[in-house]
Every structure is written in structure tokens, then in C-alpha cells.
């Protein structure tokens, strides 16, 4: 049976680009955008995206009733968080003093303002890997990915950080623990390199 990849839909925005990118790199997989807890529970892999403001995303997520299904997936199967989906995994965000899901220890903080650096951080920037990981396979250190954000994850445990980026100060741009990998950047908007990362996720067996 072909593997099933579920993209969690809790009303956070247009998920078509994420689905199309995954279908491109995993043509034999059943890739679905779903708001059904049973389908998320039956999936072999789960993608947890998000865009916009964290208070709005958390409100929509709580209203969706998918909390238990997503928490179970984050504990038991390959799990990929994207952008706000990464931030929501942590305990709390400075954006509206919003509680997160608390699946990972740490806080989401505002990017510091600096002369010559616009907020939000929007565009291509270098991602520096902080260690070996299966999702970095075939991706050179310092490769540029596409970002759109004003906040970043500050993990309480340094070992959670899988990559860093400078704008102008260094911030954590990817995290990893066991079966969880999550990025502040958008692999689905990052051209061929982003597709490589998504292909790695589709073939990852943590």
C-alpha cells in the first residue's frame, strides 16, 4: 500500500502549494489536505503548516478540534512543521502572548529591529546546518531558502536547533527532535532545494 501523507488543514490559509510540492516529490504517495482527525491518525506522515499571525492560527486550530490528533502524530510518526506550524509547537509566543501547543520547550520571540533590515523578514536567506540530519541530505550548508516571518523560535534546549540564519543576528531557522523536523522557512516556496528537503521528508524513517 502506498504511503499516506496528511497536510493538516485548520483554516490557516491556502495549502495548495504544500500539497503540490509533496505530490511532485512523492508521486506514489496519497497526499491529502485534511481537517479529519481520523485521517491524520491513519497517515504515515504528517505536515503541519501555518501562515499569518500566531494568535489567529492558534484560535483556528483550537476551534478545529484537531489538537489530540496532531499531538499524537507529533509523538508517533514523521512530522514536519512549516513556518507558523513550527512556532505553534513551542510553549508560548510573544506575538499576543499566545500559548502554543507545548510539544517542545521554548518560546517564540520577535525578530530584533536593526537599521537596514525590514520586518517582516521576507525573501531568500542562507540556512546554516547545525548538525547532520536526514532532511539535509543533498542540501549544501548555507543554501538559501525562502522566508516570510516576523517571529522566530527560541528553543529552551540548544540541541533542538537544527539550523540557524542571520537577519542580522543569528536565529534558529530549523529544529529537530526524534521524529519531528520543523522549519521557519517555506520549503514549498524554495525551488529545487525546497523540493529536495520535502523529498527527504517523504523518505525519512526516524
Amino acid at each position: 500500500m502506498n504511503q499516506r501523507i496528511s497536510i493538516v488543514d485548520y483554516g490557516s490559509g491556502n495549502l495548495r502549494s504544500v500539497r503540490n510540492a509533496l505530490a511532485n516529490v512523492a508521486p506514489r504517495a496519497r497526499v491529502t489536505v485534511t481537517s479529519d482527525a481520523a485521517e491524520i491518525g491513519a497517515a504515515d506522515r504528517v505536515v503541519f503548516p501555518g501562515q499569518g499571525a500566531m494568535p489567529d492560527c492558534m484560535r483556528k486550530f483550537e476551534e478545529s478540534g484537531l489538537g489530540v490528533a496532531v499531538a499524537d502524530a507529533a509523538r508517533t510518526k514523521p512530522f514536519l512543521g512549516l513556518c507558523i506550524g513550527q512556532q505553534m509547537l513551542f510553549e508560548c509566543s510573544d506575538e499576543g502572548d499566545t500559548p502554543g501547543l507545548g510539544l517542545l520547550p521554548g518560546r517564540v520571540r520577535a525578530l530584533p529591529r536593526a537599521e537596514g533590515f525590514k520586518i517582516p523578514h521576507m525573501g531568500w536567506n542562507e540556512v546554516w546546518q547545525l548538525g547532520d540530519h536526514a532532511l539535509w541530505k543533498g542540501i549544501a550548508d548555507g543554501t538559501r531558502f525562502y522566508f516570510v516571518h516576523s517571529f522566530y523560535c527560541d528553543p529552551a534546549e540548544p540541541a533542538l536547533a537544527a539550523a540557524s540564519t542571520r537577519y542580522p543576528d543569528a536565529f534558529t531557522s530549523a529544529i529537530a527532535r526524534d521524529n519531528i523536523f520543523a522549519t521557519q522557512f517555506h520549503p514549498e516556496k524554495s525551488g529545487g532545494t525546497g523540493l529536495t528537503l520535502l523529498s527527504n521528508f517523504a523518505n525519512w524513517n526516524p
Side-chain angles (χ1 to χ4, degrees):
M1 183 176 178
N2 294 340
Q3 68 167 327
R4 295 160 294 183
I5 303 175
S6 285
I7 303 165
V8 180
D9 180 8
Y10 53 93
S12 71
N14 182 7
L15 306 178
R16 183 178 299 175
S17 60
V18 179
R19 186 200 174 281
N20 289 347
L22 280 164
N24 183 17
V25 300
R28 298 181 62 185
R30 180 173 178 265
V31 182
T32 58
V33 175
T34 183
S35 57
D36 184 272
E39 188 168 3
I40 294 167
D44 301 296
R45 304 172 189 276
V46 171
V47 180
F48 187 52
Q51 63 184 32
M54 179 142 163
D56 292 338
C57 286
M58 283 301 304
R59 176 181 55 79
K60 291 176 181 177
F61 182 72
E62 289 166 359
E63 291 172 353
S64 76
L66 297 175
V68 172
V70 168
D72 285 347
R75 285 192 294 265
T76 61
K77 59 190 70 179
F79 187 96
L80 179 64
L82 302 178
C83 197
I84 302 296
Q86 180 200 40
Q87 296 179 11
M88 290 168 67
L89 300 177
F90 285 85
E91 295 167 303
C92 188
S93 174
D94 288 346
E95 188 174 16
D97 195 26
T98 306
L101 299 178
L103 300 175
L104 296 172
R107 191 174 186 94
V108 178
R109 304 187 186 278
L111 286 169
R113 295 189 177 273
E115 186 175 354
F117 290 83
K118 294 182 179 180
I119 302 295
H121 171 212
M122 183 181 301
W124 298 83
N125 206 341
E126 297 167 343
V127 172
W128 297 96
Q129 301 164 22
L130 298 177
D132 293 333
H133 195 282
L135 267 70
W136 296 135
K137 181 181 178 182
I139 299 173
D141 198 15
T143 293
R144 296 166 72 86
F145 286 84
Y146 190 79
F147 290 82
V148 183
H149 67 117
S150 301
F151 292 79
Y152 70 97
C153 298
D154 182 14
E157 299 174 7
L160 282 170
S164 68
T165 296
R166 300 191 70 86
Y167 192 77
D169 298 331
F171 66 89
T172 298
S173 53
I175 60 97
R177 171 187 276 178
D178 300 329
N179 60 299
I180 297 174
F181 193 92
T183 68
Q184 185 58 65
F185 53 84
H186 289 271
E188 78 282 4
K189 298 179 181 179
S190 297
T193 304
L195 293 178
T196 297
L197 189 145
L198 292 174
S199 177
N200 290 341
F201 172 71
N203 292 283
W204 180 35
N205 293 302

